């Protein structure tokens, strides 16, 4: 009996460190079993942040948004479940939103000040840390596909304007006439801003004080970019983002979306992030990379890192918008300082959850 007891004690003593090392303390402080047989898939999307107050959408409109967000998040998740890579899952989800007129990306892109559409997109592979970005597109139906082609099939990271379109043709991607991107809703928004800008100009001439912030406070300017972050069965993270930019932007203006580290970032060791919001601020603050750096250097949980950058740094700087993020254990971070953000994710039970408002 004594022998048996000492054998048991010895075995426990020897096995304890082995059992402990099979568990890794996650950065959120919870112990999670790391099992290669049971990898955790992660998938989160956004469809833009902005003034989306409860009651500001009609019930029909809200239903439409919820339906398309669910369709998109499920498309990405199904791709992951069928064994596809995080990059493929992101692409599948973003294409659905780019093809919908409801988001400010692809078909539903906003207009520049001179009535054109200039689209930007990017994608990043957390495994290789390779990335592809495109800016100032006029005829590429799905900018996210061109970003992917730049990453996979060119030696470059970023291509813009006519050159990028030429590359799209070479890659045999679908091109559309510029009028494909024309939608009444976005055109009306532009007209409202033009009218408002004229009034502001007049006020300025009359010596009144006009703040630049006013322009961005208009509901027409409230974003709508789309993005996705994913963690696949092999533990690879990826992020992708696509946008028409901001209404009334000047010719040639490029926002944060195609700037790696600002609107999009992925690194298997730490996290994947896709952003939406007032791009100039996201570029200046390197928002996506900053979040991953907090995870890397400060060992911060993904939600805390996202909150620190959005609710403290971005907020203090005067910018607004939000991010979706995933760490390499599949923990989700979602943060925004705007009133709402169209978003959807797959929960622990593998079910889609769609959210819009901030409360
Ligand atoms: N971040 C985008 C840009 O500044 C706009 C958006 O998120 O809707 O181009």
């Amino acid at each position: 009996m004594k022998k048996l007891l000492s054998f048991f004690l010895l075995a426990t003593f020897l096995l304890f460190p082995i059992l402990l090392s099979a568990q890794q303390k996650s950065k959120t402080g919870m112990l999670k079993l790391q099992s290669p047989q049971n990898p955790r898939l992660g998938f989160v999307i956004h469809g833009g942040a902005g003034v989306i107050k409860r009651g500001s959408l009609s019930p029909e409109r809200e239903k439409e948004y919820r339906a398309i967000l669910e369709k998109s998040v499920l498309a990405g998740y199904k791709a992951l479940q069928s064994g596809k890579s995080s990059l493929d899952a992101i692409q599948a989800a973003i294409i659905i939103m780019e093809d919908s007129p409801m988001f400010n990306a692809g078909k539903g892109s906003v207009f520049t000040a001179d009535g054109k559409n200039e689209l930007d997109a990017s994608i990043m592979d957390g495994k290789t840390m390779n990335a592809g970005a495109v800016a100032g597109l006029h005829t590429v139906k799905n900018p996210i596909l061109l970003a992917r082609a730049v990453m996979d099939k060119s030696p470059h990271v970023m291509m813009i304007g006519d050159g990028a379109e030429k590359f799209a043709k070479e890659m045999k991607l679908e091109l559309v006439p510029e009028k494909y991107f024309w939608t009444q809703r976005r055109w009306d928004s532009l007209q409202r801003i033009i009218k408002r800008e004229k009034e502001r100009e007049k006020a300025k001439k009359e010596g009144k004080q006009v703040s630049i912030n006013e322009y961005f406070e208009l509901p027409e300017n409230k974003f709508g970019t789309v993005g996705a972050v994913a963690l696949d069965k092999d533990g690879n993270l990826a992020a992708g983002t696509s946008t028409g930019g901001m209404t009334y932007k000047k010719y040639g203006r490029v926002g944060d979306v195609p700037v790696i580290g600002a609107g999009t970032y992925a690194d298997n060791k730490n996290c994947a992030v896709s952003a939406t919001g007032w791009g100039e601020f996201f570029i200046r603050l390197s928002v996506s990379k900053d979040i991953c750096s907090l995870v890397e250097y400060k060992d911060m949980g993904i939600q805390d890192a996202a909150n620190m950058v959005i609710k403290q740094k971005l907020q203090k700087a005067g910018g607004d918008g939000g991010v979706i993020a995933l760490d390499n254990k599949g923990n989700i971070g979602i943060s925004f300082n705007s009133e709402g953000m169209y978003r959807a994710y797959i929960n622990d039970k593998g079910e889609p959850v769609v959210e819009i408002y901030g409360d």
Side-chain angles (χ1 to χ4, degrees):
M1 186 64 192
K2 229 179 178 180
K3 258 190 191 163
L4 197 69
L5 192 68
S6 35
F7 173 75
F8 179 74
L9 282 174
L10 188 69
T12 314
F13 180 72
L14 287 174
L15 275 175
F16 185 71
I18 299 169
L19 282 173
L20 197 68
S21 70
Q23 291 193 323
Q24 196 192 339
K25 201 166 191 283
S26 92
K27 286 174 177 168
T28 53
M30 278 144 49
L31 282 175
K32 289 214 179 78
L33 206 59
Q34 294 298 294
S35 157
Q37 279 80 42
N38 182 25
R40 183 162 167 193
L41 303 175
F43 201 67
V44 192
I45 61 167
H46 70 77
V51 183
I52 324 167
K53 284 189 203 147
R54 216 171 264 282
S56 65
L57 289 174
S58 70
E60 298 76 47
R61 193 94 182 130
E62 179 172 334
K63 222 167 128 190
E64 278 179 85
Y65 270 113
R66 287 186 181 276
I68 190 121
L69 287 165
E70 186 172 309
K71 184 177 167 194
S72 170
V73 82
L74 282 175
Y77 187 53
K78 278 184 191 146
L80 292 177
Q81 282 179 310
S82 69
K84 291 208 171 124
S85 69
S86 44
L87 290 165
D88 288 341
I90 281 170
Q91 205 173 284
I94 289 185
I95 286 175
I96 289 173
M97 292 188 281
E98 281 181 340
D99 288 346
S100 158
M102 299 178 72
F103 301 98
N104 172 20
K107 171 76 186 151
S109 289
V110 298
F111 286 98
T112 63
D114 45 10
K116 296 209 168 99
N117 303 102
E118 294 181 356
L119 283 55
D120 308 334
S122 71
I123 195 161
M124 185 161 184
D125 179 359
K127 182 184 172 192
T128 58
M129 298 200 61
N130 202 351
V134 286
L137 307 176
H138 303 282
T139 65
V140 178
K141 183 166 179 259
N142 293 108
I144 195 70
L145 293 182
L146 186 58
R148 179 83 188 265
V150 169
M151 177 173 82
D152 289 348
K153 299 188 175 133
S154 89
H156 309 301
V157 168
M158 190 186 278
M159 293 177 81
I160 61 160
D162 293 345
E165 304 242 336
K166 198 169 164 191
F167 184 61
K169 213 183 264 175
E170 272 172 31
M171 291 293 112
K172 302 203 167 33
L173 293 183
E174 188 174 351
L175 303 179
V176 288
E178 291 188 29
K179 67 174 189 298
Y180 166 81
F181 299 108
W182 196 97
T183 56
Q184 189 70 51
R185 180 178 165 219
R186 301 301 190 194
W187 186 253
D188 292 347
S189 293
L190 177 66
Q191 301 318 310
R192 278 196 293 271
I193 293 187
I194 289 174
K195 188 166 165 261
R196 171 83 178 256
E197 282 303 295
K198 277 190 187 142
E199 287 163 10
R200 278 160 44 82
E201 277 309 308
K202 197 167 153 250
K204 248 199 266 174
K205 273 188 199 138
E206 287 165 3
K208 292 185 191 137
Q209 256 212 316
V210 181
S211 123
I212 187 178
N213 282 7
E214 261 179 50
Y215 160 74
F216 295 97
E217 278 152 17
L218 290 174
E220 283 79 12
N221 265 316
K222 290 303 176 177
F223 319 131
T225 289
V226 307
V229 289
L231 174 69
D232 66 24
K233 67 171 192 347
D234 300 318
N236 292 321
L237 284 168
T241 317
S242 179
T243 189
M246 290 175 85
T247 309
Y248 199 71
K249 66 183 179 183
K250 263 205 194 309
Y251 34 76
R253 178 265 189 187
V254 177
D256 59 316
V257 167
V259 178
I260 298 302
T264 307
Y265 194 75
D267 166 8
N268 269 6
K269 275 203 295 220
N270 302 299
C271 71
V273 181
S274 169
T276 172
W278 189 347
E280 279 70 8
F281 284 87
F282 282 70
I283 295 175
R284 288 194 284 251
L285 297 177
S286 300
V287 164
S288 299
K289 172 70 172 95
D290 207 25
I291 292 171
C292 292
S293 296
L294 288 173
V295 174
E296 180 168 10
Y297 303 129
K298 291 252 180 193
D299 207 25
M300 221 182 239
I302 191 72
Q303 184 61 59
D304 291 343
N307 281 345
M308 173 160 278
V309 176
I310 297 299
K311 301 209 165 164
Q312 294 186 36
K313 289 181 93 173
L314 181 73
Q315 176 79 23
K316 218 191 246 164
D320 59 348
V323 290
I324 52 167
L326 265 179
D327 71 12
N328 57 13
K329 315 268 178 334
N331 296 308
I332 295 173
I334 297 179
S335 187
F336 50 96
N337 70 343
S338 49
E339 305 203 41
M341 179 163 84
Y342 296 110
R343 59 202 187 275
Y345 59 92
I346 300 295
N347 69 13
D348 285 347
K349 293 182 208 123
E351 301 155 344
V353 179
V354 178
E355 291 169 350
I356 296 179
Y357 308 106
D359 53 21

